[in-house]
Amino acid sequence: MTTWVALLRGVNVGGITIRSADLGALFREQGFDDVRTFLASGNVRFETDAAAVHRAALKSRIEAALRDRFSYDAWIVLVTRSELDAAIDGFPFDADNPARQPWVVFCTDEATRTELAAAAASLDPSVDPISTGPGVVYWNPVKGTTVDTPFAKMLAKARYKATTTNRNLRTLVKIAS
């Protein structure tokens, strides 16, 4: 069995509301085991016999089920538990700095991660501290600026809607525990 984490993009914001109980039920109905939802922001940990080599098919299956059940254009980033742990362990900034927000931006493909990292290289690191890891971009902006910085505005572009989602490091630690 492989433990997976589905990170849904755009849930419980912008008019798309999905209750955690309904989300968990959908995953159980799909035949997944040990389903657990976290917070109200579209985070689901589950187990299935699908190995990482079957990620694309599993992702498509879950997105189709979400679209059918909740009538919205669903996009998810799907990571294994070990990939989640590596993303948490690799956070390169001071996660305990109370003045900063520790974010991890998950990318569905290497091209997106590379593009974001290249664009971020020209940004002011005091405003948009950026680093990369396998499948992720780490971002550590000042609290209260996460929608206003140049990197935030870049992430908000429609072109990244289907290929990224971000989570606060503290949320990821809860999912992993």
Side-chain angles (χ1 to χ4, degrees):
M1 293 291 256
T2 302
T3 300
W4 289 93
V5 177
L7 304 169
L8 285 66
R9 178 169 175 128
V11 171
N12 296 336
V13 295
I16 300 167
T17 303
I18 300 175
R19 292 179 341 128
S20 290
D22 296 336
L23 184 59
L26 174 100
F27 274 72
R28 284 187 283 283
E29 290 166 14
Q30 291 294 309
F32 301 132
D33 297 318
D34 198 22
V35 174
R36 187 164 173 212
T37 61
F38 297 86
L39 306 171
S41 57
N43 305 298
V44 184
R45 190 176 72 204
F46 63 98
E47 291 184 358
T48 186
D49 58 1
V53 296
H54 303 292
R55 181 187 322 262
L58 185 59
K59 179 181 183 302
S60 293
R61 174 180 159 197
I62 294 168
E63 288 173 339
L66 289 164
R67 287 179 183 119
D68 289 347
R69 172 72 57 85
F70 300 113
S71 301
Y72 83 105
D73 203 6
W75 291 288
I76 68 169
V77 174
L78 196 58
V79 296
T80 65
R81 171 64 188 270
S82 61
E83 291 165 341
L84 177 70
D85 290 342
I88 292 167
D89 294 342
F91 191 79
F93 305 107
D94 179 3
D96 296 322
N97 182 341
R100 298 267 177 186
Q101 278 287 23
W103 290 102
V104 179
V105 180
F106 290 87
C107 304
T108 60
D109 58 75
E110 187 61 24
T112 299
R113 188 191 71 83
T114 300
E115 182 179 326
L116 286 172
S122 66
L123 301 177
D124 180 349
S126 68
V127 174
D128 279 314
I130 305 288
S131 186
T132 60
V136 300
V137 175
Y138 297 108
W139 179 39
N140 201 36
V142 172
K143 279 187 179 178
T145 66
T146 57
V147 296
D148 300 323
T149 73
F151 189 70
K153 291 176 182 176
M154 183 184 338
L155 279 178
K157 290 182 179 180
R159 67 193 274 169
Y160 298 117
K161 188 174 185 179
T163 58
T164 66
T165 192
N166 57 301
R167 294 294 186 278
N168 188 288
L169 185 66
R170 290 179 281 282
T171 298
L172 299 176
V173 170
K174 288 177 185 175
I175 295 170
S177 63

